[in-house]
Every structure is written in structure tokens, then in C-alpha cells.
Amino acid sequence: MFSPSPHRRDCIVKQQERQRHLDALPVPCTENCTEEDNKVLDLSLTELVQRHEAGSLSTSAILQSYGKKVVSAQKATNCLAGVMLREALSSKPPVSSIDSDQSHEHHRLLSGVPVSIKDCIDIEGYDTTLGYSCRVNKPATSSAAIVRLLRDAGALIHVKTTTPPGMLGLETSSDLFGRTSNPYNSKFVSGASTGGGGALLASRGSVIEIGTDIGGSVRLPAHCCGVYGMRSSVGRFPSLGTLPPMPGLEFVATTCSPMARRLDDLEEFWKRVVEMKPWDYDHTCVPIPWRPVNLEGKKLRWGIVWEDGIVPPSPACRRALEWVSDALTKQGHEVIDLTPPSIADGFSVGLQLCFSDGGAGFFAPVRKDEKLDPVVTGVKSLLGMPLFVKQFLAMLTRGLTGDEVWASMLEKFHTKTSGEERALVVAREEYRARWHEAWEAEGLDFVLTVPHPLPAIPTGTAEKVTLTSCGYMMIFNILDYVAGVLPVSFVDKESDSLPKDFMKSEEYKRMGAIGKGAYSVYDAEAMHGLPVGVQVVGRRFEEERVLQAMKVVEDALEECGRKFTPREF
């Protein structure tokens, strides 16, 4: 008699558990939204808290409305890792998890706000799988700092969201939960890396999603799914109890950061979390109170990075950046072209630090029959290749194609000695200093880039695009700068198509192997209607300023008649 492997068995167990929880939801959650439901869903975070605290809107009414969206989102996109709606409905008013002299009113700053949690963040009594089957039936014994804070603030934690194994890759797909698809087009990914499921819930089934970001895992899903996300500086947002993709990695730290469907909600959430004094919950948090910023009417200096030297932005993504540049200029802001310290060089340092252990921490939990994202499989193969072979291939690459970026990746991507690791940390600090000098020399307020050179990519094409396409985002993790993404436009099959003879053009010929691979999947006609965003960057601990800068960009676009309007699902 056939007996499934432990991996397959645990995948079946987890999927059956998820389905049982969905089947056990109250009947109204399986129905279409009513007019009353839509009124609840349209409430801002502030309005939701006010009405819930006043008693004019019950917890059951909130969760029924959002429950309907959760169920429909799951059916359409497969974005859920865990369902806790019934528990949220029956939960009692929170008792503070910390000793504090804070008032009861202070504790209810997020009263009645549905929040979804990425499946790498501990919630006591629930599995934290990170997409690995080996973590099934191993519930967390305590909750992460952000979970405890949210519950003390009165938030409603109702679902967990999907992640690929180990939270790395360009698709949110795993044997454990299946593939999470894009809400705008099911043939495309929901957003790369670690937060695809969460971006969908942020747009459809929660007010706020708590994700994590080590190389763009909050910002790329936001870009692909038409929502807002901001990567915080290390120590500004509570991250204790959040499991990283590479345990013990501090050289390029993972930050816990939120996403939202509205910019005002994202800012208000940030403000209220900081007002809850997260440093009382997480010893790694820096005790910086919320600092109100008003940029209205100020003329700012923006630096635009048009290319990262690895993959040029596709026409759709470049157009979004051009729109923002034009809109800001019309508002009287100063917008300049910025040539920063080599992004390719900094990105190389970051990647080497991330995999300095040869990927041991990342690949250790993977079972022998567990499928990984092709991108991650490629990383494993490259790491396992003998160094002399990679050095030989790098020499050939330089001689035959002159592709220095790919040649450098080949010869530098290997397990490091402790001495090599420390030398890379020195290189990282020198690189950070060069960025600081460039920022000061140009007198910049903010930097603008595309979040990624492509919109959401077609399912099954991640191997062609590769992780090295993420330089526009990961560079700011390496620098520890604050970086937010806001939706700007949609791909247009007419204005965003490549020229018919593009593959014969000098522009294409100048591209390296990484750029050509990424452009091989770009198809404006097939991608028509997918969202594209822009990234707004500030320096360390400038979360308040970056949120306001995102508002300046959004207001400028609206003044030009180019306000982003998400599609209703």
C-alpha cells in the first residue's frame, strides 16, 4: 500500500486544516457582500476605530464583512495560510501583555481593525511555517511582539498569509499551500519574494497586512498588486518573534513592515503602532516617538535613479516613473537625474553577505521531495558549483560578452570564510558612506526609483528573471534606508509595448545576460491592466517623512489627472 512521504503527508494535513477552518466559517462569510458590508469595507482605519469604540459597529459586523472578502480572495487567488476568523470573533477585549502606565484608551488605538499576518510571524498556538512542510504541527509557544502589541491595541488578527518555502523566490508558491496568483490576472504572480499573499489581503480582505522585507518582500508585492507598502529601518517597527529566511543573518537584516490598500491607512497605522511604544514589546526597537511631518507647500529636491546597471526598467515601469517626475516638476519641485554609487556593486556585496554560509541556513529545513522556486534552485546550484569552475565561466563571460555584472556574480557567489565575511561588512559600510556623501552632495530630500524593472511576471518565468532583478529594492535594505511603494498606473498594451525590432536594437545588445533574461518575459499586451508602482526613498529612521513624501507624489499625480484608482474585485 502506498504511503505518502512525510513532506507530502504534512502538506495534505495543512491543506485539510485550512479547508476545515474555511468550512467552519459562519454561512454569511460565503455570501456576496451586501450594501452594508461595502459601507464597512469603505471605512478608513480611523473611522473603523471610532465606530467600533463607540459601539456603533460591532466586531461581528466587521468580521462578517471582511470575512466575505477573505473567502472570495482565497477562492480567486489562494492567498491564505491560516484562518482565525472564528477565534477573532470570540476573542475577549485584550488585557495588556506588558506592565505599563498606559491608559485603556491608549490600548485601543486599533480597536476593530482587521489585520492579516504573514506566515513567518509567531502567533501562540499556531504554526509558523515559512512555507516549509517540516514546520507543520509545531505551533508557536508565544506570540511575536507585533502580535502582542496589536492585540493590546484592540486589532482583530483574522488570517495568516502565504509565503514560498523559506520566503525567497519570485513567486508565492509552495507544496504546502499551492500557488498564490495575482488578483488582476491569475496567469501572473502575486508579487515576488515573501509577501504575495499579504499584498492580496491588503487589497481585499484586511485593512493592514504585516509582512517582512529583506530584499523587497513588502514593496514588490505592493508594486504587483496595486497597494501601498513601506520598508522601515531596522529597529523602528517591532520584529521580535518574526522568523527570517536566513536565521542569524544581521548583515542584511529582515524588517517587519506593513502594507495597506490606502496611503492614509498606512500612515495612520504606523502612527498608532509607534504611539503604542513598541520598544516596550521588543527590546530591539529604538525608542523614537512619532514625529509629525508636514511637507505641504514645501518645494523638495528629488533625485531619480533611472537604471540600476543590471536591468533597465521596462516601458511600463519607466512610464510610471516619468509620470511622477513630470507631476512633481509641475508642482514646482526640483527633480534631478541621480547617478548613485554603483547599485550593482552594492547589490553584489549584499547578496554575498546573505549567502555567506553557502545557503546552509536557508536550505536546511527543505525536505528532499520539497519543490522550490526555480530561482532558489538556481541559487543552490550556483552555490554548490566548484569555485574554480565559476571562475573559469566568469573569465569566459568577460571575454565573450563583456558582461561584467554576471561575471562578477559567478566568481563571487560562494561560501565565505569568517575573514571574507568581515571584509564584506567593511565593504558594506564603505558603500553606505558613499551613498551618504552622494545624498549630501546633491542636497536631496528623497530618491525615486522603480520598485522592479517589470510589472508582475507570468507564472513559471521566475528562472528567466532571477533574484538579481531586485537590485532597485534590495539596495535600500543594504543601506537600511526607508523605502515606500505606491501604485501609479496600469500597464497599457499600446503605449508600453517594446518596439517590434527591439531585440535587434543597440539598447538590447548592450544589456547583460540578466537584463536580457528579464526582458524575455516582458509582454505589454499580455500584461495589460497589471498595476505598476514607484518607490520613494528616504534615509534611516525617516518613516514619517517618507509617508508624507508618498502623499506629495500621490497628490501631484491627482493634480495632473493621473490618480490611481484600483479595480474592484
Side-chain angles (χ1 to χ4, degrees), residues 26 95 112 194 200 213 247 271 290 415 433 451 465 489 536 551:
V95 176
T194 71
L200 296 168
D213 194 310
K271 177 175 179 287
W290 187 255
T415 305
V465 179
S489 185
V536 180
K551 183 174 176 56

Side-chain angles (χ1 to χ4, degrees), residues 386-405:
L387 181 56
F388 76 90
V389 173
K390 286 184 282 191
Q391 290 172 335
F392 177 70
L393 292 174
M395 182 183 67
L396 285 180
T397 299
R398 287 191 177 94
L400 296 175
T401 67
D403 188 346
E404 179 56 36
V405 173

Side-chain angles (χ1 to χ4, degrees), residues 171 179-191 455-461 521 523 525-528 530:
E171 278 196 56
R179 184 176 70 86
T180 301
S181 60
N182 192 288
Y184 284 88
N185 189 326
S186 62
K187 295 179 181 179
F188 290 79
V189 303
S190 57
I457 62 174
T459 300
T461 62
V521 313
D523 182 343
E525 185 165 354
M527 294 173 169
H528 181 79
L530 291 173

Side-chain angles (χ1 to χ4, degrees), residues 7 129-135 165-166 245 247 359-368 370 372:
H7 166 64
T129 72
L130 288 79
Y132 293 122
S133 70
C134 70
R135 297 186 62 86
F362 177 84
F363 293 109
V366 179
R367 286 169 161 169
K368 64 178 181 180
E370 190 162 15
L372 297 174

